[in-house]
């Protein structure tokens, strides 16, 4: 994958895709769903935050505030990301 180093995992890849396609409602919808699933694992929460997931979900929520599906999926992702105390400062 172009632009990703050899140590990038799925957490970083999903966040990278979201950040590159913030205007796409489809990427926002399924990216938020992927973040939610990944963030259910407590070990992934800090990796997602380091990759920029907290900032990304806020940006997506602002850009797609009129989409009920996107907003609900983003709120679900925020819920799981916020279970990590360190992530709460970004959210």
């Amino acid at each position: 994958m172009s632009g990703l180093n050899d140590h990038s995992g799925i957490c970083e890849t999903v966040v990278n895709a979201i950040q590159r396609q913030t205007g796409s409602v489809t990427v926002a919808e399924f990216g938020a769903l992927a973040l939610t699933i990944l963030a259910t694992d407590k070990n992934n929460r800090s990796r997602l935050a380091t990759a920029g997931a907290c900032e990304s979900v806020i940006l997506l929520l602002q850009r797609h505030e009129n989409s009920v599906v996107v907003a609900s999926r983003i709120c679900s992702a925020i819920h799981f990301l916020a279970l990590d105390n360190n992530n709460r400062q970004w959210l």
Side-chain angles (χ1 to χ4, degrees):
M1 292 188 163
S2 176
L4 298 176
N5 63 39
D6 292 338
H7 303 292
S8 294
I10 191 65
C11 294
E12 296 80 6
T13 302
V14 169
V15 172
N16 184 274
I18 290 169
Q19 291 172 343
R20 289 174 179 258
Q21 299 294 327
T22 59
S24 168
V25 71
T26 303
V27 172
E29 179 181 343
F30 290 101
L33 179 60
L35 289 177
T36 299
I37 293 166
L38 290 168
T40 59
D41 182 321
K42 68 179 183 175
N43 296 318
N44 285 340
R45 292 179 194 135
S46 62
R47 286 185 66 200
L48 288 165
T50 299
C54 295
E55 298 88 344
S56 294
V57 293
I58 300 304
L59 178 61
L60 290 178
L61 191 55
Q62 292 168 340
R63 293 223 172 139
H64 302 286
E65 64 185 349
N66 294 323
S67 171
V68 174
V69 173
V70 172
S72 66
R73 290 196 175 168
I74 291 170
C75 288
S76 182
I78 290 170
H79 165 80
F80 284 102
L81 288 168
L83 292 175
D84 185 299
N85 290 331
N86 294 323
N87 291 349
R88 289 189 194 139
Q89 68 180 338
W90 293 104
L91 301 167

